[in-house]
Amino acid sequence: MKNAIMLLVLALFATSVHSQSLTQKDLTGTWLVTNVENSSSNLKMATAMKNAIINLYADNSFEIKEKQDDGTYSYKTTTNKNATWSYNPSTQTISTTRSKMTLKVSQSGGKTYFADADSGLKFEVTKPI
């Protein structure tokens, strides 16, 4: 009986760990930054990233566009035009060229986060498109 309970607990733990892993296909697309956590660690970048979009294209090109006052999205201070991205599923990290940004991908409570270790910012993101 004790072994059966341990096996059940192990199976549940393995399932929960596996369900939090994202694939490159899951990450490909447009992500909207809906919230920036730890904004005091880098106020300029936090302001720029509020309501920005992060495009992770299938051809591995990468860009971040900021939302402008008129509601459009364009490059301003967060310029990553012509950059590329790659994904490491074992570490759950997205690496980019040009800006050398590394984003740690995580999920918690049904939400997805991209955390940038260099700036100390954590972006809550949704995939509207």
Side-chain angles (χ1 to χ4, degrees):
M1 181 69 169
K2 191 183 236 184
N3 288 341
I5 292 173
M6 287 301 287
L7 185 59
L8 178 62
V9 168
L10 181 61
L12 289 174
F13 178 73
T15 302
S16 67
V17 169
H18 177 66
S19 68
Q20 292 178 7
S21 297
L22 293 169
T23 65
Q24 184 163 336
K25 185 177 177 181
D26 294 332
L27 294 172
T28 300
T30 297
W31 294 87
L32 174 65
V33 177
T34 58
N35 187 37
V36 179
E37 295 181 8
N38 306 326
S39 58
S40 62
S41 68
N42 188 330
L43 190 57
K44 183 177 180 181
M45 187 173 178
T47 302
M49 290 299 293
K50 186 174 175 125
N51 295 316
I53 56 171
I54 300 171
N55 289 311
L56 302 172
Y57 295 112
D59 68 357
N60 288 87
S61 61
F62 166 81
E63 65 184 2
I64 296 176
K65 291 185 177 182
E66 298 175 35
K67 187 171 185 178
Q68 304 303 309
D69 292 335
D70 65 0
T72 62
Y73 289 91
S74 65
Y75 303 103
K76 199 158 182 159
T77 58
T78 311
T79 303
N80 290 293
K81 191 173 184 179
N82 300 320
T84 60
W85 70 286
S86 61
Y87 180 62
N88 183 334
S90 63
T91 60
Q92 296 283 291
T93 55
I94 298 169
S95 299
T96 67
T97 60
R98 300 190 47 102
S99 67
K100 305 291 188 214
M101 182 183 284
T102 300
L103 300 171
K104 175 74 173 161
V105 180
S106 64
Q107 291 182 313
S108 177
K111 297 179 181 181
T112 303
Y113 298 93
F114 294 169
D116 178 27
D118 289 338
S119 69
L121 298 174
K122 185 175 183 180
F123 312 114
E124 180 182 334
V125 294
T126 61
K127 199 171 183 182
I129 299 172

